[in-house]
Amino acid sequence: MKIEEFTLERIQSLYENTVEYNLSDSGVHPYSLRELLSPEQQNALLDVELGYGWTNGKVELRQAIANLHPNRTPDHVIVTNGSAEANFLLVMSVLEPGDELVVFVPNYLQIWGWARAIGVTVKEVLLREELGWIPDLDDVRKAVSGRTKMMTVCNPNNPTGSVLPRETMDGLVAIARHHGIYLHADEVYKGAELDQDEPPSFADLYEKAIITSGLSKAMALPGLRIGWLVGPVEEIYASWQRKDYTSITTGAVSEFVAEIAVQPGKRQEILSRSKKILRENLALLQRWVNANGDLFSFVPPKAGGMAFIRYAMPVNSTELVHRLREERGIMLLPGDVYGLDRHIRIGVGAPAHHLETGLERLADFVRSDLK
Ligand SMILES: Cc1ncc(COP(=O)(O)O)c(C=O)c1O
């Protein structure tokens, strides 16, 4: 099996841990265990037995995740190693060579890459900047056909931070229902909406919806490596069969902490911290874009940890990003990894002084050194 390089992740794994100012992260500055847990919980953590546990996830954790949705039981949930494993199991459980998948781009291209690798035909629906990166339902209607098995959406979207309006969500559900296809939604940024209430989950709108979620992005706990799928019992069971072949279980320590984090009160506390960091940083970024409006512009993100910024300089985005890292010690992601040159992705979940210094260096570089 041939698989295309997952350039987005490759660039990050090569450089993000060594660069001075990493602004390529898409999440929110992570918690430490000390910040997250009460002294009693920290103490209880020391008694966690380091056994294997359940291969589909500890039942209490699956129940707590099911409780985030109406009318769901632990059988509708599988716990995975990060939402990355959830996406992988989804592809391996639902799609087969020769199937057709509809994706939206720009997007986190993990499902796109796995699907192509196993011989699925991937049809792309382009999100347009002038529409606020929201899909045009007519484009979706044209892309979905009798051969389509699944449509997959990332909401809130990576990299643009757009959030689907309720009528667009309903429109996508109507199209999926009309064709009887699966509707998958990666909702790992859900809960980090900045100026609106948290929208519903696709899992609560459509009987053939399967959602990916987890603790890495809006929940600021990526080091736990906890994600999950919620969906119909049969498809969740199929993903469990595949998980026996992949990672067997998630870690006992992570499951213990995750069960605390997903309790409604704690979840809201975590999301409030994320939104506070994101709102403050976004205001800073907006001021910077205003001050540099001759070269940079963007549709401000409605949620999540990043902004997708268009620039006017006549330079390729990958080249720009490598030069910024080598010459100024700051790391961004190039639009190229999303197939959209002349854009850069900037994380807004980093500590404010990182963002501030990074943006200063970026402006200085493009004005003085970029020929
Ligand atoms: C949309 C989306 N889904 C899934 C993932 C994988 O996240 P993790 O495995 O850390 O939960 C990412 C990571 O950037 C992402 O942006």
Side-chain angles (χ1 to χ4, degrees):
M1 183 191 82
K2 281 205 181 113
I3 188 158
E4 288 147 288
E5 183 176 87
F6 194 0
T7 323
L8 184 159
E9 290 294 342
R10 180 90 336 228
I11 291 188
Q12 287 193 280
S13 49
L14 282 174
Y15 307 115
E16 72 178 342
N17 292 309
T18 50
V19 72
E20 193 182 357
Y21 289 99
N22 178 24
L23 299 181
S24 73
D25 257 356
S26 57
V28 180
H29 190 62
Y31 275 87
S32 67
L33 282 174
R34 200 184 299 282
E35 186 187 358
L36 183 74
L37 302 180
S38 68
E40 295 72 33
Q41 289 166 335
Q42 290 173 31
N43 210 29
L45 181 62
L46 296 179
D47 291 322
V48 170
E49 205 172 273
L50 300 175
Y52 269 116
W54 290 258
T55 65
N56 56 344
K58 192 178 169 202
V59 69
E60 291 86 352
L61 176 56
R62 284 188 289 123
Q63 180 66 62
I65 294 166
N67 290 346
L68 300 173
H69 301 268
N71 308 319
R72 297 290 179 159
T73 70
D75 288 344
H76 296 99
V77 179
I78 182 167
V79 179
T80 58
N81 286 280
S83 23
E85 191 188 31
N87 283 340
F88 169 72
L89 294 177
L90 167 88
V91 170
M92 296 305 157
S93 309
V94 172
L95 298 175
E96 290 174 67
D99 282 346
E100 202 173 275
L101 170 74
V102 170
V103 305
F104 298 88
V105 288
N107 203 334
Y108 185 64
L109 291 176
Q110 185 198 2
I111 291 175
W112 178 95
W114 269 120
R116 284 164 62 98
I118 66 166
V120 168
T121 303
V122 177
K123 281 172 108 176
E124 297 177 2
V125 174
L126 215 58
L127 302 178
R128 283 177 271 153
E129 198 162 353
E130 62 274 21
L131 299 182
W133 303 111
I134 300 297
D136 178 333
L137 290 177
D138 282 335
D139 292 345
V140 185
R141 281 186 202 99
K142 279 183 212 138
V144 176
S145 74
R147 291 181 300 282
T148 308
K149 179 87 160 282
M150 184 168 89
M151 161 164 54
T152 180
V153 61
C154 183
N155 187 45
N157 176 260
N158 173 353
T160 64
S162 63
V163 177
L164 295 175
R166 180 58 200 264
E167 57 273 21
T168 309
M169 292 182 80
D170 290 341
L172 293 176
V173 167
I175 294 168
R177 189 172 277 132
H178 176 75
H179 290 274
I181 62 173
Y182 292 105
L183 174 44
H184 169 256
D186 187 329
E187 298 184 348
V188 72
Y189 290 94
K190 184 162 134 34
E193 295 77 17
L194 298 172
D195 50 14
Q196 65 183 86
D197 290 342
E198 188 174 339
S201 167
F202 273 102
D204 306 332
L205 299 180
Y206 178 42
E207 53 290 352
K208 282 190 78 172
I210 305 172
I211 61 123
T212 292
S213 192
L215 299 181
S216 300
K217 304 297 179 184
M219 294 290 282
L221 297 166
L224 287 180
R225 310 304 307 129
I226 291 287
W228 58 81
L229 291 172
V230 177
V233 170
E234 210 175 296
E235 285 71 16
I236 294 301
Y237 187 81
S239 67
W240 183 12
Q241 289 181 312
R242 279 132 185 98
K243 185 153 184 284
D244 291 340
Y245 278 103
T246 50
S247 61
I248 311 179
T249 68
T250 42
V253 169
S254 292
E255 289 202 326
F256 173 88
V257 180
E259 202 185 321
I260 293 170
V262 297
Q263 300 305 322
K266 191 70 181 174
R267 180 173 179 272
Q268 285 313 323
E269 180 189 317
I270 294 171
L271 293 176
S272 298
R273 170 188 176 274
S274 295
K275 285 190 272 198
K276 182 170 184 296
I277 295 174
L278 292 169
R279 280 192 194 114
E280 286 171 7
N281 281 349
L282 189 57
L284 197 155
L285 179 63
Q286 181 75 67
R287 285 195 296 276
W288 181 88
V289 171
N290 293 346
N292 293 281
D294 54 328
L295 293 177
F296 297 93
S297 64
F298 75 146
V299 179
K302 296 262 188 294
M306 76 215 104
F308 202 50
I309 299 187
R310 177 193 280 277
Y311 61 80
M313 301 85 72
V315 58
N316 167 259
S317 60
T318 302
E319 188 190 328
L320 174 66
V321 160
H322 283 310
R323 284 195 61 191
L324 282 166
R325 182 176 47 75
E326 285 161 6
E327 297 175 36
R328 295 299 169 103
I330 56 171
M331 182 164 167
L332 312 171
L333 267 192
D336 274 345
V337 304
Y338 293 97
L340 272 186
D341 194 16
R342 303 290 164 98
H343 287 77
I344 42 176
R345 190 187 89 175
I346 298 188
V348 285
H353 68 279
H354 275 236
L355 184 63
E356 205 161 11
T357 311
L359 292 174
E360 271 167 23
R361 289 188 186 189
L362 171 58
D364 185 60
F365 178 79
V366 297
R367 294 199 185 278
S368 54
D369 287 6
L370 199 62
K371 297 283 175 288

